[in-house]
Amino acid sequence: MTLNYPNGKPYRDERARWKPPSVAGYANRGMTLEDDLNATNEYYREHGIAIVHKKPTPVQIVRVDYPRRSAAVIKEAYFRQASTTDYNGVYRGKYIDFEAKETRNQTAFPLKNFHAHQIRHMEQVVAHGGICFAILRFSSLQETYLLNASHLITRWNEQQSGGRKSIPKREIEQLGHYIPLGCQPRIDYISVVERVYFTLSGENS
């Protein structure tokens, strides 16, 4: 199926073309970041910890083939509008919103993985008091970090003014928060949210 952006440019999902190699230790350690997050969010919902969902992206279908009367095959479609971030929900009465990205780069996270409308959306969430961040995975290293949106926004704006086009991994290690890969939940980002946005901010009750 051909899927296009609103401007007609073909959409290519790099995650569908490559998956990180499996590493000994867990049976499903080769899962993509999206797979891990979806499994994690299901665990949170089932255990009453948080309600977080992946945002659906509206799609306009423009061409459908009917090889059989009982079957339809979508051949071409367009995103109706530019997407914002990947996930949103509620944790302890607070709105949370985040983007999830992967890179095979081992020394820096390319800012080209993000889009201007996503950064603007994050700025709006922060301005309205929401909890906003990015979950970044260095796929070949199997390392995952939570980076506060404010740090990402700063680096993005610096790039727009001629600054570097990536965030060094050492900076993410210093300013972000490492999330070890587990079993249940697989990526326990809520424990980081609890520590960073509630305990350290003095909102823990």
Side-chain angles (χ1 to χ4, degrees):
M1 179 184 75
T2 302
L3 193 60
N4 301 297
Y5 288 107
N7 62 6
K9 183 178 178 181
Y11 167 73
R12 295 182 177 87
D13 189 349
E14 295 297 328
R15 294 170 300 186
R17 297 167 56 189
W18 180 87
K19 288 188 177 182
S22 121
V23 179
Y26 296 101
N28 296 318
R29 204 153 181 183
M31 295 171 69
T32 66
L33 178 57
E34 181 177 330
D35 291 334
D36 284 339
L37 283 170
N38 290 342
T40 297
N41 290 335
E42 182 177 357
Y43 176 90
Y44 288 155
R45 291 192 298 270
E46 290 179 349
H47 289 77
I49 297 171
I51 301 296
V52 181
H53 291 279
K54 191 174 191 306
K55 299 177 187 176
T57 302
V59 173
Q60 175 68 51
I61 299 171
V62 296
R63 187 162 68 89
V64 181
D65 286 353
Y66 295 90
R68 299 190 308 275
R69 180 175 297 180
S70 61
V73 179
I74 299 173
K75 291 294 186 179
E76 186 175 359
Y78 288 83
F79 291 119
R80 287 182 178 175
Q81 60 191 40
S83 61
T84 53
T85 47
D86 286 333
Y87 296 89
N88 68 345
V90 179
Y91 172 65
R92 288 187 55 186
K94 285 280 192 177
Y95 175 76
I96 63 175
D97 191 298
F98 64 92
E99 178 69 10
K101 298 289 188 183
E102 296 184 79
T103 183
R104 284 175 281 178
N105 192 311
Q106 296 187 10
T107 59
F109 208 98
L111 288 167
K112 67 180 182 180
N113 287 353
F114 295 90
H115 301 286
H117 61 267
Q118 293 176 323
I119 300 299
R120 300 290 84 83
H121 172 76
M122 289 182 169
E123 287 179 330
Q124 292 173 340
V125 172
V126 172
H128 283 274
I131 294 173
C132 192
F133 52 88
I135 292 182
L136 310 177
R137 172 175 285 179
F138 292 88
S139 301
S140 60
L141 301 174
Q142 282 295 314
E143 294 182 12
T144 305
Y145 296 84
L146 184 152
L147 184 68
N148 190 294
S150 62
H151 299 312
L152 175 60
I153 292 167
T154 296
R155 294 296 171 259
W156 175 272
N157 290 335
E158 289 175 351
Q159 173 201 226
Q160 299 300 101
S161 302
R164 64 174 298 152
K165 299 183 183 301
S166 64
I167 307 176
K169 183 173 183 288
R170 64 180 180 276
E171 182 176 312
I172 294 173
E173 293 171 341
Q174 293 170 357
L175 299 178
H177 306 272
Y178 176 70
I179 309 175
L181 185 64
C183 291
Q184 288 189 326
R186 289 190 60 76
I187 304 176
D188 191 12
Y189 65 87
I190 283 295
S191 65
V192 178
V193 170
E194 172 67 25
R195 183 174 74 253
V196 175
Y197 295 94
F198 290 86
T199 304
L200 296 182
S201 67
E203 293 189 31
N204 203 13
S205 58

